[in-house]
Every structure is written in structure tokens, then in C-alpha cells.
Amino acid sequence: MSSNSRMHNGDGWKSIFAVAAVAVLLPVLVTGCKDKKAPGGSPAGPGSGGSPSSQVSGDTIVIGEYGSMTGDNSSFGIQDDAGIKIAVDEVNAAGGVTVAGKKYKIEIKLEDDQSKSENAETAVKRLIDQANVTAILGEVASSCSIAGGNICQRSGVPMISPSSTNIKVTQIGDYIFRCCFLDSYQAAVDARFAIDPTGLNAKKAAIFTNKDQSYSTGFRDEFEKAFAKYGGTIVAKQTYGEKDTDYRGQLTALKAANPEVILVPGYYKDASTIAKQARELGITVPLLGGDGWSDSKLLELGGPAVNGCYFSDHMSIKDPKPIVQTFVKAYKAKYGSDPKMEKEPSTMAALGYDAAKILFEAIGRSKSTDKKDIRDSIAQTKNYDGVTGTISINKDRNADKSAVVTAVKNGQFDYRATVPDPDKPLSK
Ligand code: PHE
């Protein structure tokens, strides 16, 4: 775990606080950003496509945002956008950003990619070619961030993804950043939690992967490596496809191998259905997931089947730290009376907020409004005190942060542990 040093920003193992289940839920079912033809992360030259106009004219800096506002993954997109809007309100209420002595207001131009990676490409092209954006806030799902990120890199437009954890995202090139950890880290956190005697004490794991999502397959590969390194054995592996809804055949095969835990590194719609079918088939062992489970829809769709399951996540919204609770308050003030919105923010809203704030702060430190200068400024982000933890952008343009493990208990999310270094056994 060399590239991602862990900062301990949580309350430590066993300091448990309850996370209330969110009562009001979005009307749309959610799954992943479809990984139709996510291109690989081949590094391209910085801004090799050139950008239409590099300096900002007027007194507004336009920032692009592309997200899954509709489609399978809309819950992630809506929460991300909610967090971004709070950040924009705050910065503009404080007078905007000052660059080279001049004040600018921030304006967001949002494009809906409908949870599809091929649309993410077009959305980003529109933001760059038509809206002439100065920087872009990237997608939640890795497959979409990879698709859109390739366009940003080619066009020399800096992009920050709030939450895409697949390794390939920032490998695209020097204009692409993220303010979250990588799957190599969160999968190792899961592996440590699975095997540790104070965690699940499981030596035999099975894995059930969505073969159509780079997030899911990348997570699987990293978990396999870490679990073996920590002394565990993978006893069975199965895959499913994005459109599948009946998982019984694969689950029956996994059950036959007698695993003590089953890793399901998908998004929460798949995970909740898988949990239900697993319980129907008499599989009682815990299911383990990653941040893709982090939405109240998991509880609504999974019901009692997800009780006793665990997942790695970026933070807990019930963390009593003032910075977290101030954000929760701001969310409730803005969206609390909107019947279409969740009553409480998800992790995703906090990540969207942090990504936007990091970008605005970097713009404020930039020599000019030129995209190259803003890129350099983002790269220099150090010890930014975010809602989701202290954020420093490292040389690979990723953030060094620690993860938490969340338990599902009595139909609610429950903080379980902070794992700053998965290579070390958990202490009590
Ligand atoms: N990490 C997921 C991905 O890369 C996206 C995600 C992040 C989903 C945080 C939920 C919460 O695809």
C-alpha cells in the first residue's frame, strides 16, 4: 500500500455511532454507469487537443459538471450535484473567487450523461466545445469518469472526480485528478476486515463480480491480491452482467464452495438484489461490498437481506466532527423541504462538495484563469480540510485518505471501523 499513505481521520476501531436510515427515498432505481466502451487509461499529452479559449472573459468562471442525473445511477448523480450546489452557494455568497486580483463568480454548467459512459464522452465534449468551461467536476462511477476524462485530457481541461476509485481514472494523464482513495486501498480494507479476528474472522472468501463495470472487476482483482497476502483463500468466483436480474445460478455455485464471506463489489441495486436471492437460497454468511453500496437505496431495496453485511466507504455522515455536521446542516437547510430529495446527504453529496471546494480553492490560488495554471494549482493541493477527510493530492493525482467500514444493522447504516493501514492487523 505504498502510493496511498493513510491518514487517520476517524474515531478509531469500535467507536461506534449509529447512522440513521434515510426515510425518504428517490423514485428511481439505480445501478452503475454502464461500462459500454470505457477506453483504457493510456496517457495522452497534456492538452494535446487544445482548448477553444484559454482565458476567462467577463467576471464569471464557468465550471462543467457531468453526472448521472437520470438512468440507472441517478441517485449518485443527484447526491453529487446536491453537494456541488452547496459548495457553489458558499463560494458565491463569500464574493466568489479572486484570481490575479480580479473577482469572479462561479457558475456551473451541468450535463446529464444518463449513467452511460458513451454519453459521458458527448457530455464532456459539449461542456468544452459549447460552454467553454474552465474545469470539470467529473463523474461518480469510474467507467464514466474514464470516458469523460479522456476527453478532458485531450482538450487540456482539468477534471476532478469526487469518487471514482478505479486506478485507470487518473492514469489517463496529468489533467485528471480525484479527491478520493483508490480501489487498491478500499479492497485491502475489506480484505483486512474480512480476515481479522476482530472483524469477520473469515479465512475463505468467494467473489461475485459485475463483469461489465471497471469498478467491479478492478475491485475484485485488488481484493484477491490483498486477501491472499493477509493469509486468506478465495474459494469460488462468479460473474454477472449489467442487465442480469437473476443471480441464483451463480449464487448456488458460490454456496457450494462454503465461503465464510462473499465479496459483492457492485453498485447497490445489484448488491441488494443479490443479497435477497442469496438469503432465499440459504446463504447466511455476511456479504461484503465497497463504496458502491453507499446509498440509502441499499437499505430500501435490500430490506432485511442486507442486515449483517458490511462495506468500505469514504466516511460516515454521522461522524460527530463539526465539519461533517456543518455540512449535514447545510444540506438539510437547502434540501430538507424538497420532497424529491433525500432527507440526509449520502457520502456522495459530501464527496461532491469536497471536490467542488477543492477546485474553487485551487482556482483561487492559481496565477491566472488559464487551464494549465489551474491544473498546476490543483496538483499542489495539500492538507485541505474536507468533509470526507484531510485531502492532499499526491504525485499520481489521487488523494491520500482513510476508509471506514460501515455495517448494516437493523435496516440502518452503522459506523464500524476506521482502517488507516490495511496491511496491519486491526487493534481492538
Ligand atoms: N467508487 C465508485 C466507482 O468508482 C463510485 C462511488 C463512490 C459510488 C462513492 C458510491 C459512493 O465507480
Side-chain angles (χ1 to χ4, degrees):
M1 311 312 303
S2 52
S3 69
N4 205 1
S5 78
R6 322 289 169 233
M7 270 178 276
H8 194 284
N9 62 353
D11 285 348
W13 177 244
K14 293 265 157 130
S15 67
I16 295 170
F17 47 90
V19 177
V22 175
V24 175
L25 296 150
L26 292 163
V28 196
L29 287 187
V30 281
T31 65
C33 196
K34 292 199 184 65
D35 196 10
K36 286 261 170 53
K37 49 168 187 140
S42 58
S48 43
S51 45
S53 150
S54 92
Q55 288 286 341
V56 171
S57 55
D59 53 10
T60 301
I61 293 178
V62 184
I63 302 297
E65 173 195 349
Y66 66 108
S68 305
M69 301 308 293
T70 57
D72 288 345
N73 214 14
S74 61
S75 199
F76 287 157
I78 290 166
Q79 281 289 306
D80 180 29
D81 180 63
I84 291 171
K85 287 203 169 101
I86 295 171
V88 173
D89 287 354
E90 278 179 20
V91 75
N92 286 337
V97 288
T98 306
V99 189
K102 185 174 168 188
K103 266 199 183 301
Y104 296 89
K105 287 274 181 205
I106 297 285
E107 188 187 307
I108 297 281
K109 178 89 178 85
L110 169 64
E111 286 283 345
D112 176 13
D113 61 30
Q114 300 166 316
S115 312
K116 295 189 180 114
S117 55
E118 61 270 33
N119 289 4
E121 256 180 59
T122 346
V124 170
K125 278 184 187 145
R126 266 200 300 271
L127 290 171
I128 295 172
D129 298 339
Q130 291 168 25
N132 191 25
V133 297
T134 292
I136 288 186
L137 291 163
E139 248 275 2
V140 170
S142 290
S143 50
C144 289
S145 280
I146 293 168
N150 275 298
I151 309 296
C152 290
Q153 177 68 29
R154 248 181 272 150
S155 311
V157 178
M159 173 185 121
I160 307 179
S161 164
S163 61
S164 291
T165 45
N166 186 275
I167 181 126
K168 289 183 194 140
V169 174
T170 48
Q171 284 176 343
I172 290 170
D174 59 349
Y175 275 71
I176 312 301
F177 300 86
R178 75 180 107 208
C179 63
C180 58
F181 51 61
L182 300 180
D183 289 329
S184 52
Y185 169 60
Q186 69 165 328
V189 164
D190 267 359
R192 171 58 65 194
F193 181 75
I195 205 160
D196 202 90
T198 66
L200 301 178
N201 199 21
K203 305 280 182 288
K204 295 189 295 172
I207 311 181
F208 195 21
T209 313
N210 181 342
K211 63 178 171 48
D212 297 329
Q213 287 286 347
S214 25
Y215 164 68
S216 196
T217 54
F219 201 116
R220 169 197 60 202
D221 297 346
E222 297 294 348
F223 180 88
E224 272 193 81
K225 270 192 264 170
F227 197 63
K229 185 169 151 194
Y230 303 155
T233 307
I234 306 294
V235 293
K237 285 196 282 181
Q238 291 286 327
T239 62
Y240 62 92
E242 185 68 28
K243 294 211 169 74
D244 292 354
T245 50
D246 184 349
Y247 308 99
R248 291 176 181 89
Q250 297 99 313
L251 285 168
T252 303
L254 294 176
K255 187 187 178 197
N258 279 319
E260 293 162 309
V261 61
I262 302 175
L263 178 77
V264 183
Y267 297 116
Y268 48 88
K269 178 179 163 267
D270 307 351
S272 50
T273 312
I274 287 166
K276 276 184 166 163
Q277 292 179 7
R279 300 314 179 213
E280 277 164 31
L281 291 167
I283 296 173
T284 54
V285 297
L287 308 184
L288 190 59
D291 58 351
W293 283 29
S294 184
D295 193 281
S296 55
K297 275 276 175 197
L298 181 89
L299 305 171
E300 188 205 14
L301 299 170
V306 291
N307 282 336
C309 294
Y310 300 85
F311 60 95
S312 51
D313 201 358
H314 302 263
M315 51 121 31
S316 164
I317 219 76
K318 274 286 148 60
D319 189 328
K321 272 198 302 198
I323 191 167
V324 178
Q325 291 317 311
T326 303
F327 172 72
V328 172
K329 238 169 112 184
Y331 178 98
K332 286 181 175 165
K334 192 167 170 71
Y335 303 107
S337 57
D338 184 342
K340 295 192 297 301
M341 295 296 286
E342 305 275 354
K343 289 283 168 255
E344 288 195 337
S346 71
T347 303
M348 227 10 276
L351 287 162
Y353 174 81
D354 278 354
K357 289 292 284 264
I358 284 169
L359 177 59
F360 305 155
E361 192 262 343
I363 292 173
R365 272 189 287 109
S366 180
K367 291 205 294 263
S368 77
T369 58
D370 191 88
K371 298 177 185 74
K372 164 85 173 66
D373 288 335
I374 291 171
R375 188 226 81 87
D376 292 348
S377 187
I378 299 169
Q380 282 151 20
T381 302
K382 287 279 166 296
N383 297 320
Y384 178 85
D385 197 14
V387 175
T388 61
T390 306
I391 298 161
S392 294
I393 300 292
N394 66 25
K395 64 172 186 8
D396 300 317
R397 298 171 302 283
N398 303 318
D400 297 324
K401 289 160 89 185
S402 60
V404 300
V405 175
T406 299
V408 187
K409 227 170 149 180
N410 305 323
Q412 298 196 343
F413 291 146
D414 219 30
Y415 169 84
R416 174 71 197 266
T418 299
V419 185
D421 184 357
D423 281 350
K424 295 203 182 104
L426 299 173
S427 52
K428 286 192 184 170

